[in-house]
Amino acid sequence: MASSPTDFLAELAWRGLLFQQTDGAAAALAAGPVSGYCGFDPTADSLHVGNLVSLMGLVHLQRCGHRPVALVGGGTGLIGDPSGKATERQLKTVEEVQANVAAIRAQLGRVLDFDGATGARLVDNGDWLRSLDLITFLRDTGKHFTVNWMLQKDSVESRLASESGISFTEFSYMLLQAHDFAELHRRHGVTLQLGGSDQWGNITAGTTLVRKLHGAEVHGVTLPLLTNAAGQKFGKSEAGAVWLDAARTTPYAFYQYFLQGDDRDAGKLLRTFTLLDRATIEALEATIGENAAAREAQRTLAREVTTLIHGEAAARTAIELSTLLFQKGDPATLSDEALAALAREVPFASVTPAADGALDTLALFADAGLAESKGAARRLLQQGGLSVNGVKLGAGDTTIDRDRLLRGGHLLLRKGARDYGLVRVQG
RNA sequence: GGUGGAGUAGCCAAGCGGUCAACGGCAACAGACUGUAAAUCUGUCGGCUCCGGCCUUCGAAGGUUCGAAUCCUUCCUCCACCA
């Protein structure tokens, strides 16, 4: 399973995760174990599956015998990376960034392995950037860059052309990231930086600075932006980003996101998000051609990724619930445990019936969040898109009989083919 | 600074005094067919609704008119060409 230390780039390459690399990166990696880092912006209190791509880069680095260093931008997060952004960002407060840093550290910690000779390190650039004084920074870092060079970076160039321009604050961002690379080189002997393809400019700023400051040759590798078969940025569902935080995206929803994926994406996603070896993945890809209906590839993908992020127990629950909802069918047989799990994993609402005790279908679906409004619920009802306890409702079913309540006063609602919600009727 | 053009729902884009909540396309949602897939076909698609309607929209603010997305005035923004 473990490959030799020289295989990192080859590993990324067959997985389709290698975009750009600095000259000499392969030779440097082949020469022996290195320490490589990747930064994560604390723009929210959770990473999402888009961030997971470069995190997987660190995981592969470690499995290939190198030391991964995960950096959380507690300092740079206070500035804002202009890369890939069309307009200036709203500054975040120190408290907000610190809370985000803490949450993201915990997520990174769950995926990386901290034991052994190549145990991962977790660092926060706020530790050195926040105490960095301006004069020192300008003399030691700023002096090594010409503005002419900085202006040529894509991230800056595109913003110069736009009406809103770019503030001096964000313009300086690349220098801070370059400073990080130099600092990590000095403190931890880091000689490699990984990042998404939009980070190339920032990464080369870092390799340049380390060369000038320490006379050392360090390297950068970027991973491609992940897109789906429809050509869209991967990781967005209709509900927004797919988060790694169980409070934002439940393990069930996370599992379902990968399970529901397009056949055409399955192979790419297996290569990107699982640690399965090449032969296994190719065998799974073959099953799509042979027996696509079994969706063996998607099932494996969803199970592997959910296990990686949420752990085995949560993955098992997600699979059980999925089986329950999509395979078996009769909600009346649901156990108390299953109902409790459902309440945690699918949208849940407690509703109070009207004074006369009648259960209004439209209000139920609207309250459960499965429809935007009662009007929207009505349209869905008329189109035959709603069901209760696995039984499709007709256009005339504007109220629900109380004798359909499951144990504990629950009703299992479904909108369309796969959106479930659970409500508990009070009293 | 000058001249000309343009700003319409999530995006693109018609409309140029009433029949406009606004043609059409994309995206999205639902149904049929399937495999919790894709493609295809059908329907929905500003907000709310006691389904009778009600409310708010066509860059912004005023005005003309019985009536304006459509005409007028001022302002804002973008694009092109000229300086």
Side-chain angles (χ1 to χ4, degrees), chain A residues 123-136:
Chain A
V123 298
D124 175 359
N125 64 15
D127 290 349
W128 55 84
L129 289 181
R130 291 182 62 189
S131 57
L132 182 62
D133 81 89
L134 182 63
I135 298 300
T136 304

Side-chain angles (χ1 to χ4, degrees), chain A residues 235-299:
Chain A
K236 302 280 187 199
S237 70
E238 66 276 12
V242 178
W243 301 95
L244 305 194
D245 181 353
R248 281 177 175 260
T249 302
T250 65
Y252 166 78
F254 188 86
Y255 176 85
Q256 282 286 324
Y257 179 76
F258 285 98
L259 183 67
Q260 288 169 10
D262 196 308
D263 289 358
R264 295 169 294 177
D265 291 325
K268 188 203 283 195
L269 296 179
L270 280 165
R271 289 161 195 266
T272 304
F273 292 121
T274 74
L275 298 171
L276 300 174
D277 61 39
R278 189 168 192 167
T280 307
I281 290 176
E282 284 173 353
L284 283 168
E285 285 181 298
T287 66
I288 297 173
E290 290 156 10
N291 182 14
R295 294 194 340 292
E296 197 55 36
Q298 283 96 329
R299 281 180 203 289

Side-chain angles (χ1 to χ4, degrees), chain A residues 80-86 89 155 159 170 173 177 198-199 201-202:
Chain A
D81 185 358
S83 304
K85 293 281 181 257
R89 297 190 183 199
S155 58
R159 288 279 290 279
E170 287 194 9
Y173 184 91
Q177 188 161 328
D198 60 337
Q199 290 299 307
N202 290 333

Side-chain angles (χ1 to χ4, degrees), chain A residues 187-201:
Chain A
R187 292 184 179 212
H188 301 303
V190 169
T191 56
L192 175 72
Q193 182 177 179
L194 302 181
S197 54
D198 60 337
Q199 290 299 307
W200 185 248

Side-chain angles (χ1 to χ4, degrees), chain A residues 61-91:
Chain A
L61 185 71
Q62 182 164 39
R63 289 163 61 88
C64 290
H66 305 285
R67 183 194 296 279
V69 177
L71 177 147
V72 193
T76 40
L78 294 167
I79 299 303
D81 185 358
S83 304
K85 293 281 181 257
T87 53
E88 189 81 11
R89 297 190 183 199
Q90 184 69 37
L91 286 177

Side-chain angles (χ1 to χ4, degrees), chain A residues 124-199:
Chain A
D124 175 359
N125 64 15
D127 290 349
W128 55 84
L129 289 181
R130 291 182 62 189
S131 57
L132 182 62
D133 81 89
L134 182 63
I135 298 300
T136 304
F137 173 72
L138 291 177
R139 288 177 66 93
D140 294 352
T141 298
K143 197 66 176 171
H144 294 293
F145 293 91
T146 63
V147 169
N148 312 51
W149 184 84
M150 293 169 72
L151 289 176
Q152 285 167 26
K153 296 292 180 187
D154 281 350
S155 58
V156 173
E157 201 176 14
S158 60
R159 288 279 290 279
L160 283 177
S162 83
E163 188 217 344
S164 56
I166 182 168
S167 67
F168 180 72
T169 305
E170 287 194 9
F171 179 60
S172 314
Y173 184 91
M174 75 176 81
L175 299 189
L176 292 180
Q177 188 161 328
H179 180 85
D180 282 346
F181 204 160
E183 194 67 23
L184 288 173
H185 179 71
R186 191 175 65 76
R187 292 184 179 212
H188 301 303
V190 169
T191 56
L192 175 72
Q193 182 177 179
L194 302 181
S197 54
D198 60 337
Q199 290 299 307

